[in-house]
Amino acid sequence: MTELIEWSDFTKVVMVAGTVTRAEAFPEARQPAYRIWVDFGSYGERKTSAQVTGVYQPEELVGRQIIGVINFPEKQIGPIRSQFLLTGFHTDDGVVIATTERTVPNGTRLA
């Protein structure tokens, strides 16, 4: 069973839309991954490492609008500092990235 949370717990998580500006292979990662940079509008451009190589090629990601969690502390992943969590869904083929159904301004918070 999943632990229940309060509404106030959910409101602490800052999930916003952003557009992928750059994606490249991350050969130094322990698990296959890409380095991904995202424009989050007024929150600025941030980078992360994401294990989405099973479903996507780097060039497919550029221009795609994604949903990221931007208020976790930065985390060292090999030689880079991850500045946000790219959200997605685990499938048999790999992680499918959570995206917006329609384009919204970068930095728009998930309601």
Side-chain angles (χ1 to χ4, degrees):
M1 183 169 164
T2 302
E3 179 183 350
L4 297 178
I5 64 171
E6 299 295 324
W7 179 254
S8 61
D9 294 323
F10 176 72
T11 61
K12 292 176 189 175
V13 181
V14 180
M15 290 185 277
V16 297
T19 301
V20 176
T21 58
R22 186 171 145 201
E24 61 187 33
F26 186 15
E28 302 91 349
R30 284 188 218 139
Q31 303 277 350
Y34 298 136
R35 289 184 202 124
I36 299 173
W37 288 260
V38 174
D39 175 4
F40 286 109
S42 63
Y43 296 104
E45 185 175 70
R46 298 181 185 211
K47 66 181 179 283
T48 195
S49 168
Q51 295 175 1
V52 296
T53 59
V55 178
Y56 304 98
Q57 293 299 312
E59 59 274 7
E60 292 177 84
L61 298 172
V62 176
R64 185 179 296 248
Q65 194 164 59
I66 59 88
I67 301 166
V69 177
I70 61 167
N71 66 326
F72 282 131
E74 288 189 11
K75 181 178 179 181
Q76 191 72 40
I77 301 177
I80 73 165
R81 303 251 335 138
S82 177
Q83 299 171 315
F84 75 97
L85 173 70
L86 181 64
T87 61
F89 302 93
H90 288 278
T91 72
D92 290 342
D93 296 326
V95 175
V96 174
I97 296 171
T99 63
T100 58
E101 188 265 332
R102 294 183 187 173
T103 303
V104 297
N106 289 336
T108 300
R109 188 166 177 179
L110 183 72

